[in-house]
Amino acid sequence: MSKHERWSRLLELLAAEGKLEVEEAATALEVSPATIRRDLDELAEQQMLVRTRGGAVAHGVSYELPLRYKSSRHASEKQRIAAAVAELIGEGDVVGLNGGTTTTEVARALALRAAGGRRELPDMTAPSLTVVTNALNIAGELAVRPQIKIVVTGGVARPQTYELVGPLTVGVLNEVVLDVAVLGVDGVDPRLGLMTHQEDEASISRLFAERARRVVVVTDSSKMGRRAFARICGLDRVDVLVTDSALPSEMAARLSEAGIKVHAV
């Protein structure tokens, strides 16, 4: 297991339990206690956790993993979700993408699809897709793709998710119209709707939804039924939800009753 994988796993355990003991973590990861101590010390230096005698605790009550440490979680599910979403996007559509690991996979799937379809297009100079995003990592990956016109909002960058937020972001989104908004979320509650950890990111995702003709929510099934701090919008604003096949049947039924088309892949 590489250091990156160990750190991801340690932070996942910390997010779930709120605290870690060195011996228990060493057993869970099948490495030596000395290795865990070094990892915890290095993570503490990066202010990812607070070191304690014999272990570590999370910062604060609500703990949000930075994007770079979440990328390996439910990776295969997210790739299947992304491929399914790419099939829902039409040629020439203007697509809004907020930040997150699943929407990053959607961006990659869209880039592959756009590249594959170029051979059949008579006009090789026109982009086959326009993507509007407030995520710096998504913009960086798509900027080198000539088949995609990339529009990046302004704003202040959040280091945890690489998302741009604030009045500058709002200003740009208020000037565009989207065919589809693809939204990654941290929770989907049957009563409260779509949720995320940060209120500034919630307001930007809400604006993405308001500027779009269709709203597609992408999330693995672990987020279903889960609540987070900030509400994005109600389920009445969602047209399609794409998730993995582990979606509970009861939740699928409730979403369908709300008028949402569910794709469980």
mmCIF file with all atom_site columns, all heavy atoms in Angstrom, residues 67 97-100 103-104 132-142 150-154 161-165 169 204 208:
data_model
loop_
_atom_site.group_PDB
_atom_site.id
_atom_site.type_symbol
_atom_site.label_atom_id
_atom_site.label_alt_id
_atom_site.label_comp_id
_atom_site.label_asym_id
_atom_site.label_entity_id
_atom_site.label_seq_id
_atom_site.pdbx_PDB_ins_code
_atom_site.Cartn_x
_atom_site.Cartn_y
_atom_site.Cartn_z
_atom_site.occupancy
_atom_site.B_iso_or_equiv
_atom_site.pdbx_formal_charge
_atom_site.auth_seq_id
_atom_site.auth_comp_id
_atom_site.auth_asym_id
_atom_site.auth_atom_id
_atom_site.pdbx_PDB_model_num
ATOM 1   N N   . LEU A 1 67  ? -10.314 16.986 -1.771  1.00 0.00 ? 67  LEU A N   1
ATOM 2   C CA  . LEU A 1 67  ? -10.590 16.241 -2.994  1.00 0.00 ? 67  LEU A CA  1
ATOM 3   C C   . LEU A 1 67  ? -9.489  15.251 -3.336  1.00 0.00 ? 67  LEU A C   1
ATOM 4   O O   . LEU A 1 67  ? -9.749  14.135 -3.760  1.00 0.00 ? 67  LEU A O   1
ATOM 5   C CB  . LEU A 1 67  ? -10.791 17.224 -4.150  1.00 0.00 ? 67  LEU A CB  1
ATOM 6   C CG  . LEU A 1 67  ? -11.182 16.618 -5.491  1.00 0.00 ? 67  LEU A CG  1
ATOM 7   C CD1 . LEU A 1 67  ? -12.609 16.093 -5.442  1.00 0.00 ? 67  LEU A CD1 1
ATOM 8   C CD2 . LEU A 1 67  ? -11.042 17.647 -6.594  1.00 0.00 ? 67  LEU A CD2 1
ATOM 9   N N   . LEU A 1 97  ? -20.639 22.101 -14.754 1.00 0.00 ? 97  LEU A N   1
ATOM 10  C CA  . LEU A 1 97  ? -20.087 21.104 -13.833 1.00 0.00 ? 97  LEU A CA  1
ATOM 11  C C   . LEU A 1 97  ? -19.598 21.805 -12.576 1.00 0.00 ? 97  LEU A C   1
ATOM 12  O O   . LEU A 1 97  ? -18.736 22.685 -12.650 1.00 0.00 ? 97  LEU A O   1
ATOM 13  C CB  . LEU A 1 97  ? -18.912 20.361 -14.473 1.00 0.00 ? 97  LEU A CB  1
ATOM 14  C CG  . LEU A 1 97  ? -19.176 19.430 -15.665 1.00 0.00 ? 97  LEU A CG  1
ATOM 15  C CD1 . LEU A 1 97  ? -17.857 18.909 -16.214 1.00 0.00 ? 97  LEU A CD1 1
ATOM 16  C CD2 . LEU A 1 97  ? -20.076 18.279 -15.261 1.00 0.00 ? 97  LEU A CD2 1
ATOM 17  N N   . ASN A 1 98  ? -20.133 21.409 -11.420 1.00 0.00 ? 98  ASN A N   1
ATOM 18  C CA  . ASN A 1 98  ? -19.523 21.888 -10.178 1.00 0.00 ? 98  ASN A CA  1
ATOM 19  C C   . ASN A 1 98  ? -18.358 20.964 -9.823  1.00 0.00 ? 98  ASN A C   1
ATOM 20  O O   . ASN A 1 98  ? -18.023 20.057 -10.570 1.00 0.00 ? 98  ASN A O   1
ATOM 21  C CB  . ASN A 1 98  ? -20.560 21.990 -9.056  1.00 0.00 ? 98  ASN A CB  1
ATOM 22  C CG  . ASN A 1 98  ? -21.086 20.635 -8.593  1.00 0.00 ? 98  ASN A CG  1
ATOM 23  O OD1 . ASN A 1 98  ? -20.824 19.598 -9.195  1.00 0.00 ? 98  ASN A OD1 1
ATOM 24  N ND2 . ASN A 1 98  ? -21.846 20.646 -7.508  1.00 0.00 ? 98  ASN A ND2 1
ATOM 25  N N   . GLY A 1 99  ? -17.710 21.204 -8.685  1.00 0.00 ? 99  GLY A N   1
ATOM 26  C CA  . GLY A 1 99  ? -16.527 20.429 -8.331  1.00 0.00 ? 99  GLY A CA  1
ATOM 27  C C   . GLY A 1 99  ? -16.861 19.119 -7.638  1.00 0.00 ? 99  GLY A C   1
ATOM 28  O O   . GLY A 1 99  ? -17.980 18.899 -7.186  1.00 0.00 ? 99  GLY A O   1
ATOM 29  N N   . GLY A 1 100 ? -15.865 18.240 -7.564  1.00 0.00 ? 100 GLY A N   1
ATOM 30  C CA  . GLY A 1 100 ? -16.029 16.971 -6.870  1.00 0.00 ? 100 GLY A CA  1
ATOM 31  C C   . GLY A 1 100 ? -15.424 15.829 -7.659  1.00 0.00 ? 100 GLY A C   1
ATOM 32  O O   . GLY A 1 100 ? -15.124 15.963 -8.851  1.00 0.00 ? 100 GLY A O   1
ATOM 33  N N   . THR A 1 103 ? -17.972 14.516 -10.527 1.00 0.00 ? 103 THR A N   1
ATOM 34  C CA  . THR A 1 103 ? -18.055 15.420 -11.677 1.00 0.00 ? 103 THR A CA  1
ATOM 35  C C   . THR A 1 103 ? -16.731 15.477 -12.432 1.00 0.00 ? 103 THR A C   1
ATOM 36  O O   . THR A 1 103 ? -16.716 15.696 -13.645 1.00 0.00 ? 103 THR A O   1
ATOM 37  C CB  . THR A 1 103 ? -18.475 16.838 -11.246 1.00 0.00 ? 103 THR A CB  1
ATOM 38  O OG1 . THR A 1 103 ? -17.657 17.278 -10.157 1.00 0.00 ? 103 THR A OG1 1
ATOM 39  C CG2 . THR A 1 103 ? -19.938 16.876 -10.832 1.00 0.00 ? 103 THR A CG2 1
ATOM 40  N N   . THR A 1 104 ? -15.616 15.265 -11.741 1.00 0.00 ? 104 THR A N   1
ATOM 41  C CA  . THR A 1 104 ? -14.324 15.171 -12.434 1.00 0.00 ? 104 THR A CA  1
ATOM 42  C C   . THR A 1 104 ? -14.313 13.976 -13.374 1.00 0.00 ? 104 THR A C   1
ATOM 43  O O   . THR A 1 104 ? -13.826 14.064 -14.509 1.00 0.00 ? 104 THR A O   1
ATOM 44  C CB  . THR A 1 104 ? -13.176 15.064 -11.414 1.00 0.00 ? 104 THR A CB  1
ATOM 45  O OG1 . THR A 1 104 ? -13.136 16.252 -10.619 1.00 0.00 ? 104 THR A OG1 1
ATOM 46  C CG2 . THR A 1 104 ? -11.832 14.907 -12.119 1.00 0.00 ? 104 THR A CG2 1
ATOM 47  N N   . VAL A 1 132 ? -19.013 24.733 -18.712 1.00 0.00 ? 132 VAL A N   1
ATOM 48  C CA  . VAL A 1 132 ? -18.861 25.847 -17.776 1.00 0.00 ? 132 VAL A CA  1
ATOM 49  C C   . VAL A 1 132 ? -18.618 25.246 -16.397 1.00 0.00 ? 132 VAL A C   1
ATOM 50  O O   . VAL A 1 132 ? -19.419 24.429 -15.926 1.00 0.00 ? 132 VAL A O   1
ATOM 51  C CB  . VAL A 1 132 ? -20.125 26.730 -17.744 1.00 0.00 ? 132 VAL A CB  1
ATOM 52  C CG1 . VAL A 1 132 ? -19.941 27.887 -16.761 1.00 0.00 ? 132 VAL A CG1 1
ATOM 53  C CG2 . VAL A 1 132 ? -20.453 27.252 -19.141 1.00 0.00 ? 132 VAL A CG2 1
ATOM 54  N N   . THR A 1 133 ? -17.532 25.617 -15.758 1.00 0.00 ? 133 THR A N   1
ATOM 55  C CA  . THR A 1 133 ? -17.217 25.020 -14.461 1.00 0.00 ? 133 THR A CA  1
ATOM 56  C C   . THR A 1 133 ? -16.586 26.039 -13.512 1.00 0.00 ? 133 THR A C   1
ATOM 57  O O   . THR A 1 133 ? -15.953 26.998 -13.944 1.00 0.00 ? 133 THR A O   1
ATOM 58  C CB  . THR A 1 133 ? -16.266 23.809 -14.634 1.00 0.00 ? 133 THR A CB  1
ATOM 59  O OG1 . THR A 1 133 ? -16.090 23.164 -13.360 1.00 0.00 ? 133 THR A OG1 1
ATOM 60  C CG2 . THR A 1 133 ? -14.906 24.241 -15.176 1.00 0.00 ? 133 THR A CG2 1
ATOM 61  N N   . ASN A 1 134 ? -16.775 25.794 -12.237 1.00 0.00 ? 134 ASN A N   1
ATOM 62  C CA  . ASN A 1 134 ? -16.085 26.570 -11.198 1.00 0.00 ? 134 ASN A CA  1
ATOM 63  C C   . ASN A 1 134 ? -15.002 25.733 -10.521 1.00 0.00 ? 134 ASN A C   1
ATOM 64  O O   . ASN A 1 134 ? -14.472 26.128 -9.477  1.00 0.00 ? 134 ASN A O   1
ATOM 65  C CB  . ASN A 1 134 ? -17.079 27.063 -10.141 1.00 0.00 ? 134 ASN A CB  1
ATOM 66  C CG  . ASN A 1 134 ? -17.650 25.945 -9.288  1.00 0.00 ? 134 ASN A CG  1
ATOM 67  O OD1 . ASN A 1 134 ? -17.936 24.851 -9.787  1.00 0.00 ? 134 ASN A OD1 1
ATOM 68  N ND2 . ASN A 1 134 ? -17.837 26.198 -8.003  1.00 0.00 ? 134 ASN A ND2 1
ATOM 69  N N   . ALA A 1 135 ? -14.661 24.582 -11.127 1.00 0.00 ? 135 ALA A N   1
ATOM 70  C CA  . ALA A 1 135 ? -13.660 23.678 -10.549 1.00 0.00 ? 135 ALA A CA  1
ATOM 71  C C   . ALA A 1 135 ? -12.344 23.806 -11.303 1.00 0.00 ? 135 ALA A C   1
ATOM 72  O O   . ALA A 1 135 ? -12.281 23.520 -12.503 1.00 0.00 ? 135 ALA A O   1
ATOM 73  C CB  . ALA A 1 135 ? -14.159 22.236 -10.586 1.00 0.00 ? 135 ALA A CB  1
ATOM 74  N N   . LEU A 1 136 ? -11.304 24.201 -10.615 1.00 0.00 ? 136 LEU A N   1
ATOM 75  C CA  . LEU A 1 136 ? -10.015 24.431 -11.258 1.00 0.00 ? 136 LEU A CA  1
ATOM 76  C C   . LEU A 1 136 ? -9.419  23.148 -11.830 1.00 0.00 ? 136 LEU A C   1
ATOM 77  O O   . LEU A 1 136 ? -8.800  23.172 -12.900 1.00 0.00 ? 136 LEU A O   1
ATOM 78  C CB  . LEU A 1 136 ? -9.040  25.050 -10.249 1.00 0.00 ? 136 LEU A CB  1
ATOM 79  C CG  . LEU A 1 136 ? -9.358  26.478 -9.798  1.00 0.00 ? 136 LEU A CG  1
ATOM 80  C CD1 . LEU A 1 136 ? -8.425  26.889 -8.676  1.00 0.00 ? 136 LEU A CD1 1
ATOM 81  C CD2 . LEU A 1 136 ? -9.247  27.446 -10.965 1.00 0.00 ? 136 LEU A CD2 1
ATOM 82  N N   . ASN A 1 137 ? -9.586  22.034 -11.145 1.00 0.00 ? 137 ASN A N   1
ATOM 83  C CA  . ASN A 1 137 ? -8.998  20.787 -11.656 1.00 0.00 ? 137 ASN A CA  1
ATOM 84  C C   . ASN A 1 137 ? -9.701  20.323 -12.924 1.00 0.00 ? 137 ASN A C   1
ATOM 85  O O   . ASN A 1 137 ? -9.064  19.825 -13.858 1.00 0.00 ? 137 ASN A O   1
ATOM 86  C CB  . ASN A 1 137 ? -9.032  19.692 -10.586 1.00 0.00 ? 137 ASN A CB  1
ATOM 87  C CG  . ASN A 1 137 ? -10.444 19.263 -10.234 1.00 0.00 ? 137 ASN A CG  1
ATOM 88  O OD1 . ASN A 1 137 ? -11.287 20.095 -9.907  1.00 0.00 ? 137 ASN A OD1 1
ATOM 89  N ND2 . ASN A 1 137 ? -10.717 17.978 -10.283 1.00 0.00 ? 137 ASN A ND2 1
ATOM 90  N N   . ILE A 1 138 ? -11.021 20.508 -12.993 1.00 0.00 ? 138 ILE A N   1
ATOM 91  C CA  . ILE A 1 138 ? -11.755 20.151 -14.203 1.00 0.00 ? 138 ILE A CA  1
ATOM 92  C C   . ILE A 1 138 ? -11.336 21.062 -15.350 1.00 0.00 ? 138 ILE A C   1
ATOM 93  O O   . ILE A 1 138 ? -11.099 20.600 -16.477 1.00 0.00 ? 138 ILE A O   1
ATOM 94  C CB  . ILE A 1 138 ? -13.273 20.234 -13.958 1.00 0.00 ? 138 ILE A CB  1
ATOM 95  C CG1 . ILE A 1 138 ? -13.707 19.100 -13.026 1.00 0.00 ? 138 ILE A CG1 1
ATOM 96  C CG2 . ILE A 1 138 ? -14.048 20.175 -15.278 1.00 0.00 ? 138 ILE A CG2 1
ATOM 97  C CD1 . ILE A 1 138 ? -15.169 19.147 -12.625 1.00 0.00 ? 138 ILE A CD1 1
ATOM 98  N N   . ALA A 1 139 ? -11.225 22.355 -15.075 1.00 0.00 ? 139 ALA A N   1
ATOM 99  C CA  . ALA A 1 139 ? -10.797 23.294 -16.113 1.00 0.00 ? 139 ALA A CA  1
ATOM 100 C C   . ALA A 1 139 ? -9.410  22.944 -16.630 1.00 0.00 ? 139 ALA A C   1
ATOM 101 O O   . ALA A 1 139 ? -9.147  22.994 -17.838 1.00 0.00 ? 139 ALA A O   1
ATOM 102 C CB  . ALA A 1 139 ? -10.802 24.715 -15.555 1.00 0.00 ? 139 ALA A CB  1
ATOM 103 N N   . GLY A 1 140 ? -8.510  22.550 -15.731 1.00 0.00 ? 140 GLY A N   1
ATOM 104 C CA  . GLY A 1 140 ? -7.154  22.195 -16.136 1.00 0.00 ? 140 GLY A CA  1
ATOM 105 C C   . GLY A 1 140 ? -7.122  20.984 -17.048 1.00 0.00 ? 140 GLY A C   1
ATOM 106 O O   . GLY A 1 140 ? -6.336  20.926 -17.998 1.00 0.00 ? 140 GLY A O   1
ATOM 107 N N   . GLU A 1 141 ? -7.981  19.986 -16.752 1.00 0.00 ? 141 GLU A N   1
ATOM 108 C CA  . GLU A 1 141 ? -8.009  18.785 -17.590 1.00 0.00 ? 141 GLU A CA  1
ATOM 109 C C   . GLU A 1 141 ? -8.629  19.047 -18.952 1.00 0.00 ? 141 GLU A C   1
ATOM 110 O O   . GLU A 1 141 ? -8.198  18.481 -19.961 1.00 0.00 ? 141 GLU A O   1
ATOM 111 C CB  . GLU A 1 141 ? -8.783  17.674 -16.878 1.00 0.00 ? 141 GLU A CB  1
ATOM 112 C CG  . GLU A 1 141 ? -8.051  17.101 -15.674 1.00 0.00 ? 141 GLU A CG  1
ATOM 113 C CD  . GLU A 1 141 ? -8.525  15.694 -15.328 1.00 0.00 ? 141 GLU A CD  1
ATOM 114 O OE1 . GLU A 1 141 ? -9.023  14.999 -16.227 1.00 0.00 ? 141 GLU A OE1 1
ATOM 115 O OE2 . GLU A 1 141 ? -8.382  15.309 -14.155 1.00 0.00 ? 141 GLU A OE2 1
ATOM 116 N N   . LEU A 1 142 ? -9.639  19.904 -19.010 1.00 0.00 ? 142 LEU A N   1
ATOM 117 C CA  . LEU A 1 142 ? -10.361 20.119 -20.266 1.00 0.00 ? 142 LEU A CA  1
ATOM 118 C C   . LEU A 1 142 ? -9.763  21.221 -21.130 1.00 0.00 ? 142 LEU A C   1
ATOM 119 O O   . LEU A 1 142 ? -10.062 21.295 -22.323 1.00 0.00 ? 142 LEU A O   1
ATOM 120 C CB  . LEU A 1 142 ? -11.831 20.436 -19.979 1.00 0.00 ? 142 LEU A CB  1
ATOM 121 C CG  . LEU A 1 142 ? -12.650 19.334 -19.305 1.00 0.00 ? 142 LEU A CG  1
ATOM 122 C CD1 . LEU A 1 142 ? -14.107 19.762 -19.199 1.00 0.00 ? 142 LEU A CD1 1
ATOM 123 C CD2 . LEU A 1 142 ? -12.534 18.016 -20.053 1.00 0.00 ? 142 LEU A CD2 1
ATOM 124 N N   . ILE A 1 150 ? -14.051 25.481 -23.001 1.00 0.00 ? 150 ILE A N   1
ATOM 125 C CA  . ILE A 1 150 ? -14.107 25.514 -21.552 1.00 0.00 ? 150 ILE A CA  1
ATOM 126 C C   . ILE A 1 150 ? -14.269 26.946 -21.059 1.00 0.00 ? 150 ILE A C   1
ATOM 127 O O   . ILE A 1 150 ? -13.525 27.838 -21.465 1.00 0.00 ? 150 ILE A O   1
ATOM 128 C CB  . ILE A 1 150 ? -12.852 24.847 -20.920 1.00 0.00 ? 150 ILE A CB  1
ATOM 129 C CG1 . ILE A 1 150 ? -12.929 24.860 -19.397 1.00 0.00 ? 150 ILE A CG1 1
ATOM 130 C CG2 . ILE A 1 150 ? -11.570 25.466 -21.416 1.00 0.00 ? 150 ILE A CG2 1
ATOM 131 C CD1 . ILE A 1 150 ? -13.904 23.876 -18.836 1.00 0.00 ? 150 ILE A CD1 1
ATOM 132 N N   . VAL A 1 151 ? -15.263 27.178 -20.227 1.00 0.00 ? 151 VAL A N   1
ATOM 133 C CA  . VAL A 1 151 ? -15.530 28.475 -19.617 1.00 0.00 ? 151 VAL A CA  1
ATOM 134 C C   . VAL A 1 151 ? -15.355 28.328 -18.116 1.00 0.00 ? 151 VAL A C   1
ATOM 135 O O   . VAL A 1 151 ? -16.020 27.495 -17.486 1.00 0.00 ? 151 VAL A O   1
ATOM 136 C CB  . VAL A 1 151 ? -16.953 28.967 -19.934 1.00 0.00 ? 151 VAL A CB  1
ATOM 137 C CG1 . VAL A 1 151 ? -17.212 30.318 -19.268 1.00 0.00 ? 151 VAL A CG1 1
ATOM 138 C CG2 . VAL A 1 151 ? -17.168 29.060 -21.438 1.00 0.00 ? 151 VAL A CG2 1
ATOM 139 N N   . VAL A 1 152 ? -14.465 29.114 -17.550 1.00 0.00 ? 152 VAL A N   1
ATOM 140 C CA  . VAL A 1 152 ? -14.165 29.014 -16.123 1.00 0.00 ? 152 VAL A CA  1
ATOM 141 C C   . VAL A 1 152 ? -14.684 30.260 -15.413 1.00 0.00 ? 152 VAL A C   1
ATOM 142 O O   . VAL A 1 152 ? -14.436 31.383 -15.860 1.00 0.00 ? 152 VAL A O   1
ATOM 143 C CB  . VAL A 1 152 ? -12.646 28.885 -15.876 1.00 0.00 ? 152 VAL A CB  1
ATOM 144 C CG1 . VAL A 1 152 ? -12.369 28.614 -14.396 1.00 0.00 ? 152 VAL A CG1 1
ATOM 145 C CG2 . VAL A 1 152 ? -12.052 27.786 -16.736 1.00 0.00 ? 152 VAL A CG2 1
ATOM 146 N N   . THR A 1 153 ? -15.401 30.060 -14.339 1.00 0.00 ? 153 THR A N   1
ATOM 147 C CA  . THR A 1 153 ? -15.878 31.200 -13.551 1.00 0.00 ? 153 THR A CA  1
ATOM 148 C C   . THR A 1 153 ? -14.705 31.820 -12.804 1.00 0.00 ? 153 THR A C   1
ATOM 149 O O   . THR A 1 153 ? -13.679 31.177 -12.588 1.00 0.00 ? 153 THR A O   1
ATOM 150 C CB  . THR A 1 153 ? -16.937 30.759 -12.525 1.00 0.00 ? 153 THR A CB  1
ATOM 151 O OG1 . THR A 1 153 ? -16.299 29.963 -11.513 1.00 0.00 ? 153 THR A OG1 1
ATOM 152 C CG2 . THR A 1 153 ? -18.044 29.960 -13.184 1.00 0.00 ? 153 THR A CG2 1
ATOM 153 N N   . GLY A 1 154 ? -14.848 33.050 -12.407 1.00 0.00 ? 154 GLY A N   1
ATOM 154 C CA  . GLY A 1 154 ? -13.896 33.635 -11.473 1.00 0.00 ? 154 GLY A CA  1
ATOM 155 C C   . GLY A 1 154 ? -14.228 33.185 -10.062 1.00 0.00 ? 154 GLY A C   1
ATOM 156 O O   . GLY A 1 154 ? -15.065 32.313 -9.848  1.00 0.00 ? 154 GLY A O   1
ATOM 157 N N   . THR A 1 161 ? -11.522 21.491 -2.313  1.00 0.00 ? 161 THR A N   1
ATOM 158 C CA  . THR A 1 161 ? -12.268 20.953 -3.452  1.00 0.00 ? 161 THR A CA  1
ATOM 159 C C   . THR A 1 161 ? -11.859 21.569 -4.779  1.00 0.00 ? 161 THR A C   1
ATOM 160 O O   . THR A 1 161 ? -12.387 21.158 -5.826  1.00 0.00 ? 161 THR A O   1
ATOM 161 C CB  . THR A 1 161 ? -13.778 21.196 -3.262  1.00 0.00 ? 161 THR A CB  1
ATOM 162 O OG1 . THR A 1 161 ? -14.018 22.611 -3.175  1.00 0.00 ? 161 THR A OG1 1
ATOM 163 C CG2 . THR A 1 161 ? -14.292 20.517 -2.005  1.00 0.00 ? 161 THR A CG2 1
ATOM 164 N N   . TYR A 1 162 ? -10.947 22.548 -4.762  1.00 0.00 ? 162 TYR A N   1
ATOM 165 C CA  . TYR A 1 162 ? -10.519 23.258 -5.969  1.00 0.00 ? 162 TYR A CA  1
ATOM 166 C C   . TYR A 1 162 ? -11.656 24.056 -6.604  1.00 0.00 ? 162 TYR A C   1
ATOM 167 O O   . TYR A 1 162 ? -11.562 24.448 -7.765  1.00 0.00 ? 162 TYR A O   1
ATOM 168 C CB  . TYR A 1 162 ? -9.931  22.314 -7.023  1.00 0.00 ? 162 TYR A CB  1
ATOM 169 C CG  . TYR A 1 162 ? -8.859  21.381 -6.512  1.00 0.00 ? 162 TYR A CG  1
ATOM 170 C CD1 . TYR A 1 162 ? -8.796  20.069 -6.948  1.00 0.00 ? 162 TYR A CD1 1
ATOM 171 C CD2 . TYR A 1 162 ? -7.909  21.812 -5.585  1.00 0.00 ? 162 TYR A CD2 1
ATOM 172 C CE1 . TYR A 1 162 ? -7.806  19.198 -6.476  1.00 0.00 ? 162 TYR A CE1 1
ATOM 173 C CE2 . TYR A 1 162 ? -6.926  20.954 -5.115  1.00 0.00 ? 162 TYR A CE2 1
ATOM 174 C CZ  . TYR A 1 162 ? -6.880  19.653 -5.556  1.00 0.00 ? 162 TYR A CZ  1
ATOM 175 O OH  . TYR A 1 162 ? -5.920  18.809 -5.093  1.00 0.00 ? 162 TYR A OH  1
ATOM 176 N N   . GLU A 1 163 ? -12.736 24.306 -5.871  1.00 0.00 ? 163 GLU A N   1
ATOM 177 C CA  . GLU A 1 163 ? -13.865 25.055 -6.414  1.00 0.00 ? 163 GLU A CA  1
ATOM 178 C C   . GLU A 1 163 ? -13.707 26.551 -6.178  1.00 0.00 ? 163 GLU A C   1
ATOM 179 O O   . GLU A 1 163 ? -13.235 26.988 -5.123  1.00 0.00 ? 163 GLU A O   1
ATOM 180 C CB  . GLU A 1 163 ? -15.179 24.584 -5.791  1.00 0.00 ? 163 GLU A CB  1
ATOM 181 C CG  . GLU A 1 163 ? -15.634 23.230 -6.282  1.00 0.00 ? 163 GLU A CG  1
ATOM 182 C CD  . GLU A 1 163 ? -17.020 22.886 -5.805  1.00 0.00 ? 163 GLU A CD  1
ATOM 183 O OE1 . GLU A 1 163 ? -18.001 23.406 -6.358  1.00 0.00 ? 163 GLU A OE1 1
ATOM 184 O OE2 . GLU A 1 163 ? -17.135 22.071 -4.873  1.00 0.00 ? 163 GLU A OE2 1
ATOM 185 N N   . LEU A 1 164 ? -14.133 27.329 -7.170  1.00 0.00 ? 164 LEU A N   1
ATOM 186 C CA  . LEU A 1 164 ? -14.167 28.776 -7.064  1.00 0.00 ? 164 LEU A CA  1
ATOM 187 C C   . LEU A 1 164 ? -15.534 29.201 -6.546  1.00 0.00 ? 164 LEU A C   1
ATOM 188 O O   . LEU A 1 164 ? -16.567 28.730 -7.027  1.00 0.00 ? 164 LEU A O   1
ATOM 189 C CB  . LEU A 1 164 ? -13.897 29.419 -8.424  1.00 0.00 ? 164 LEU A CB  1
ATOM 190 C CG  . LEU A 1 164 ? -12.535 29.100 -9.044  1.00 0.00 ? 164 LEU A CG  1
ATOM 191 C CD1 . LEU A 1 164 ? -12.503 29.557 -10.495 1.00 0.00 ? 164 LEU A CD1 1
ATOM 192 C CD2 . LEU A 1 164 ? -11.408 29.751 -8.256  1.00 0.00 ? 164 LEU A CD2 1
ATOM 193 N N   . VAL A 1 165 ? -15.533 30.098 -5.566  1.00 0.00 ? 165 VAL A N   1
ATOM 194 C CA  . VAL A 1 165 ? -16.784 30.540 -4.949  1.00 0.00 ? 165 VAL A CA  1
ATOM 195 C C   . VAL A 1 165 ? -16.745 32.050 -4.765  1.00 0.00 ? 165 VAL A C   1
ATOM 196 O O   . VAL A 1 165 ? -15.711 32.688 -4.944  1.00 0.00 ? 165 VAL A O   1
ATOM 197 C CB  . VAL A 1 165 ? -17.012 29.844 -3.584  1.00 0.00 ? 165 VAL A CB  1
ATOM 198 C CG1 . VAL A 1 165 ? -17.193 28.348 -3.745  1.00 0.00 ? 165 VAL A CG1 1
ATOM 199 C CG2 . VAL A 1 165 ? -15.849 30.129 -2.622  1.00 0.00 ? 165 VAL A CG2 1
ATOM 200 N N   . THR A 1 169 ? -17.772 34.419 -8.937  1.00 0.00 ? 169 THR A N   1
ATOM 201 C CA  . THR A 1 169 ? -18.356 33.212 -9.517  1.00 0.00 ? 169 THR A CA  1
ATOM 202 C C   . THR A 1 169 ? -19.816 33.456 -9.877  1.00 0.00 ? 169 THR A C   1
ATOM 203 O O   . THR A 1 169 ? -20.277 33.087 -10.967 1.00 0.00 ? 169 THR A O   1
ATOM 204 C CB  . THR A 1 169 ? -18.259 32.041 -8.521  1.00 0.00 ? 169 THR A CB  1
ATOM 205 O OG1 . THR A 1 169 ? -16.951 31.997 -7.957  1.00 0.00 ? 169 THR A OG1 1
ATOM 206 C CG2 . THR A 1 169 ? -18.573 30.719 -9.184  1.00 0.00 ? 169 THR A CG2 1
ATOM 207 N N   . ILE A 1 204 ? -23.362 28.246 -4.996  1.00 0.00 ? 204 ILE A N   1
ATOM 208 C CA  . ILE A 1 204 ? -22.922 28.183 -6.390  1.00 0.00 ? 204 ILE A CA  1
ATOM 209 C C   . ILE A 1 204 ? -23.592 27.015 -7.105  1.00 0.00 ? 204 ILE A C   1
ATOM 210 O O   . ILE A 1 204 ? -24.059 27.149 -8.247  1.00 0.00 ? 204 ILE A O   1
ATOM 211 C CB  . ILE A 1 204 ? -21.388 28.065 -6.470  1.00 0.00 ? 204 ILE A CB  1
ATOM 212 C CG1 . ILE A 1 204 ? -20.722 29.295 -5.850  1.00 0.00 ? 204 ILE A CG1 1
ATOM 213 C CG2 . ILE A 1 204 ? -20.943 27.882 -7.921  1.00 0.00 ? 204 ILE A CG2 1
ATOM 214 C CD1 . ILE A 1 204 ? -21.139 30.621 -6.468  1.00 0.00 ? 204 ILE A CD1 1
ATOM 215 N N   . PHE A 1 208 ? -25.995 27.035 -10.445 1.00 0.00 ? 208 PHE A N   1
ATOM 216 C CA  . PHE A 1 208 ? -25.857 26.146 -11.599 1.00 0.00 ? 208 PHE A CA  1
ATOM 217 C C   . PHE A 1 208 ? -27.224 25.553 -11.960 1.00 0.00 ? 208 PHE A C   1
ATOM 218 O O   . PHE A 1 208 ? -27.608 25.512 -13.132 1.00 0.00 ? 208 PHE A O   1
ATOM 219 C CB  . PHE A 1 208 ? -24.880 25.005 -11.295 1.00 0.00 ? 208 PHE A CB  1
ATOM 220 C CG  . PHE A 1 208 ? -23.456 25.270 -11.681 1.00 0.00 ? 208 PHE A CG  1
ATOM 221 C CD1 . PHE A 1 208 ? -22.457 25.385 -10.721 1.00 0.00 ? 208 PHE A CD1 1
ATOM 222 C CD2 . PHE A 1 208 ? -23.096 25.384 -13.009 1.00 0.00 ? 208 PHE A CD2 1
ATOM 223 C CE1 . PHE A 1 208 ? -21.136 25.621 -11.076 1.00 0.00 ? 208 PHE A CE1 1
ATOM 224 C CE2 . PHE A 1 208 ? -21.781 25.611 -13.382 1.00 0.00 ? 208 PHE A CE2 1
ATOM 225 C CZ  . PHE A 1 208 ? -20.796 25.740 -12.412 1.00 0.00 ? 208 PHE A CZ  1
#
